Amino acid sequence: MGDSSKTGAVLIVLAMLVTPAYIAVIAADIDPLLHGRLLGPLIAVLLVLGAGQILSDE
């Protein structure tokens, strides 16, 4: 496993850690700006970058 795979794995784990916060914000009905324009795209970007790093290592 190269450095790119480790970086990708860390990015995916970060996305997994942000997801419960995303769900909690929606459940608490807090400002839609937070989950609509910040947390959702953040999760998507972390997943895409993580997968890209893992796939680029092969």
Side-chain angles (χ1 to χ4, degrees), residues 5 7-10 12-13 16-17 28 32-35 38 43 45 47 50-51 54-55 57:
S5 290
T7 303
V10 168
I12 290 174
V13 167
M16 292 171 60
L17 292 174
L33 176 67
L34 183 62
H35 60 80
L38 179 66
I43 293 169
V45 167
L47 288 173
I54 291 172
L55 293 175
D57 195 36

